Amino acid sequence: MGETNKEVEHLFLDFMQMKDFAKDPLVMKSAQGVWYEDVHGKRYLDGLSGVFVVNVGHGNRRVIDAMKQQLDELAFAPPLHATNMRAIELAALLAKVTPGDLHTFKLLSGGSEATESAMKLARQYHRQTGHPQKYKVVSRYEGYHGATLGALAASGVTKRRSTFEPLPGGYVHVFPPTCYRCPYGLKYPECGVLCASIVESVIKQEDPATVSSLIVEPIGNTGGIVTPPKEYYKILREICDKYDVLLIFDEIITGFGRTGEMFGAGTFGVTPDIICMGKGMSSGYSPVGGIAFGDEIAEAFYGEASAGVHFNHGHTFGGNPVSSAAAIASVSETVERKLPARAREMGDAVRRRLREMEGEGVIGDVRGAGLLIGVEFVKDPETKEQFPEGAAFGARVGRKALKKGLIIRSDPHWVALAPPLVIEKGEVDTMMDIFSECVSETLKEVS
Ligand SMILES: Cc1ncc(COP(=O)(O)O)c(C=O)c1O
């Protein structure tokens, strides 16, 4: 690969020190199924679906062929004054898989565009339905909704936010439902799910006449695969209804089968007012995103042109024909191959292997749903005592895994496993063999 080390210096990658990266850059060359191959010919089992993206697996023929065919026909038609057949077909297909009456879509090209669009849609909706003062957004600490300024303001990951403060105003944060380490020091179920009910107090304190929306990830990634108790979203739904606050599910990660249902909304049995989608929508074959919303919201945006009530928002690549062709093929694969059910089955297989590892005495908690699985490491499962920050147990496991040819998401105290939904049982075993080896070796090093 010759000059790659030097060439990499022209790039900035995400949230990464390029000086370190350039010393030993990981450069992928090809991928098939659940396997990547780098430019040196080393293979990696993709235990993270790229980054919660490649739900239908790499090298999917149907998606590739659909995109190639679309390129020959029409590569671009701007959403400013026209649309195209693939965008229309994609919206119709999505309408068959979204919950409730969330059958109107604004097609976009990524997750941050989706969350920004959802929050703007909520503001404009209230403005046009007699509540022009409703502008604030409630969201959660440790949540992540994207890197653009509005999405970042709604996010609650301190280390990603603080560099850019002050962020736009009008964003209020509440503590996440991190049951294993309850921010209120309580225990479920005696807690009465305070993490949900307290949202009502926050809205009241802020003045309900000023609050437009509540945005949450059904299962939060950045806080460590934060998985709330089953009543949590039902309580949030009731609170939002009571105060006319739009409930936005950021399903950029949880959408398209990842949690064992088509959307996280189905996993928790709650229909939000707006769903944000991205990542798994095209399985990464082309950048794509979107928001889905119901009739009542859509209705507020129809009227005479002179009334100016249209959604005053747009992005050049929204509904791009090639991206739409990729998304149609990927969503069709997800539905026809019953990938949500497969995510449940393979997720159970991963969990069984994790239970077998309990004897190691370092797995404190296993969270998530389907093939979105978080593992929190602790020094003592009884007391939940953590390893010292410097030990960076999870990060060490992640680094070892990479050396041994397995890609996972890692943090000092936890890791996430989220392979493509097409993973086979034998591949789950390979993934878990490597993972368990890495945990044992790390344990020897830190104890
Ligand atoms: C839950 C969630 N929302 C939004 C985003 C932002 O998506 P994008 O990086 O495509 O802008 C991400 C990205 O990781 C995400 O995980």
Side-chain angles (χ1 to χ4, degrees), residues 66-121:
M67 291 177 74
K68 282 184 171 169
Q69 197 181 330
Q70 187 54 44
L71 271 171
D72 283 338
E73 204 174 299
L74 173 72
F76 181 67
L80 190 62
H81 58 246
T83 187
N84 62 86
M85 286 312 297
R86 294 300 90 73
I88 294 170
E89 281 165 27
L90 174 58
L93 174 61
L94 290 172
K96 290 189 187 144
V97 298
T98 42
D101 73 341
L102 273 61
H103 295 157
T104 307
F105 303 88
K106 175 113 186 115
L107 298 177
L108 304 156
S109 26
S112 303
E113 278 187 13
T115 53
E116 293 276 353
S117 303
M119 294 185 286
K120 285 179 75 178
L121 187 85

Side-chain angles (χ1 to χ4, degrees), residues 2-3 112 144 165 207 241 243 266 295-296 298 318 326 333 382 423 431:
E3 288 291 286
S112 303
Y144 184 65
E165 284 176 341
D207 181 358
D241 287 343
Y243 295 99
D295 296 341
E296 202 179 318
E333 283 278 276
E382 283 296 307
I423 193 167
M431 177 172 85

Side-chain angles (χ1 to χ4, degrees), residues 330-409:
S330 179
V331 175
S332 301
E333 283 278 276
T334 307
V335 173
E336 289 166 28
R337 292 172 66 182
K338 299 188 173 58
L339 295 186
R342 201 183 167 76
R344 283 200 298 275
E345 190 189 333
M346 292 301 135
D348 286 346
V350 173
R351 281 181 189 79
R352 272 197 298 279
R353 290 292 305 265
L354 288 169
R355 272 197 297 277
E356 286 167 21
M357 290 170 64
E358 273 166 14
E360 297 269 24
V362 283
I363 296 187
D365 197 24
V366 175
R367 301 187 276 269
L371 274 175
L372 177 57
I373 299 168
V375 181
E376 179 161 341
F377 297 111
V378 287
K379 202 169 168 194
D380 182 349
E382 283 296 307
T383 61
K384 301 185 186 176
E385 186 196 344
Q386 292 184 312
F387 286 101
E389 198 70 25
F393 196 99
R396 276 178 196 244
V397 170
R399 280 196 299 274
K400 274 187 197 301
L402 190 65
K403 275 206 180 110
K404 290 176 192 279
L406 169 66
I407 297 174
I408 57 174
R409 163 115 162 71

Side-chain angles (χ1 to χ4, degrees), residues 7-295:
E7 283 164 6
V8 123
E9 287 170 14
H10 294 293
L11 283 176
F12 267 18
L13 300 182
D14 292 6
F15 308 105
M16 190 184 285
Q17 178 45 256
M18 294 310 292
K19 204 171 166 184
D20 284 342
F21 181 82
K23 287 179 196 151
D24 183 18
L26 177 59
V27 184
M28 296 307 188
K29 179 163 168 276
S30 60
Q32 192 62 43
V34 302
W35 294 93
Y36 273 115
E37 189 174 321
D38 72 11
V39 287
H40 303 290
K42 178 171 171 179
R43 296 179 84 221
Y44 301 83
L45 200 159
D46 183 5
L48 196 57
S49 305
V51 56
F52 310 104
V53 169
V54 192
N55 288 5
V56 304
H58 299 275
N60 181 289
R61 221 38 270 167
R62 180 172 181 177
V63 183
I64 295 165
D65 289 344
M67 291 177 74
K68 282 184 171 169
Q69 197 181 330
Q70 187 54 44
L71 271 171
D72 283 338
E73 204 174 299
L74 173 72
F76 181 67
L80 190 62
H81 58 246
T83 187
N84 62 86
M85 286 312 297
R86 294 300 90 73
I88 294 170
E89 281 165 27
L90 174 58
L93 174 61
L94 290 172
K96 290 189 187 144
V97 298
T98 42
D101 73 341
L102 273 61
H103 295 157
T104 307
F105 303 88
K106 175 113 186 115
L107 298 177
L108 304 156
S109 26
S112 303
E113 278 187 13
T115 53
E116 293 276 353
S117 303
M119 294 185 286
K120 285 179 75 178
L121 187 85
R123 272 200 197 188
Q124 196 183 331
Y125 165 78
H126 287 301
R127 181 178 284 255
Q128 287 170 192
T129 52
H131 305 285
Q133 301 298 329
K134 277 184 165 289
Y135 72 98
K136 290 179 190 162
V137 177
V138 180
S139 60
R140 295 191 303 223
Y141 291 117
E142 296 182 355
Y144 184 65
H145 301 294
T148 51
L149 281 174
L152 193 61
S155 301
V157 187
T158 312
K159 68 174 189 240
R160 288 190 183 173
R161 286 166 51 92
S162 52
T163 321
F164 303 102
E165 284 176 341
L167 288 162
Y171 292 83
V172 182
H173 293 82
V174 295
F175 284 102
T178 35
C179 243
Y180 186 65
R181 295 187 188 281
C182 175
Y184 303 102
L186 300 172
K187 249 191 157 32
Y188 177 80
E190 298 84 56
C191 63
V193 198
L194 178 66
C195 52
S197 58
I198 205 162
V199 172
E200 176 164 15
S201 317
V202 171
I203 291 173
K204 275 160 86 177
Q205 290 293 330
E206 289 292 329
D207 181 358
T210 67
V211 181
S212 66
S213 60
L214 166 63
I215 183 166
V216 285
E217 299 153 80
I219 294 178
N221 163 37
T222 33
I225 314 300
V226 176
T227 313
K230 57 183 185 315
E231 308 90 328
Y232 179 84
Y233 288 113
K234 294 197 173 79
I235 298 170
L236 292 191
R237 178 71 276 178
E238 279 164 23
I239 296 169
C240 285
D241 287 343
K242 187 164 168 192
Y243 295 99
D244 192 16
V245 168
L246 296 186
L247 178 59
I248 304 172
F249 275 5
D250 174 348
E251 298 239 22
I252 312 292
I253 287 180
T254 51
F256 301 99
R258 174 64 49 198
T259 64
E261 297 289 338
M262 201 58 181
F263 289 96
T267 300
F268 292 97
V270 168
T271 304
D273 298 298
I274 306 175
I275 284 182
C276 304
M277 22 185 124
K279 293 190 188 273
M281 187 171 172
S282 74
S283 288
Y285 286 77
S286 186
V288 68
I291 52 172
F293 42 96
D295 296 341

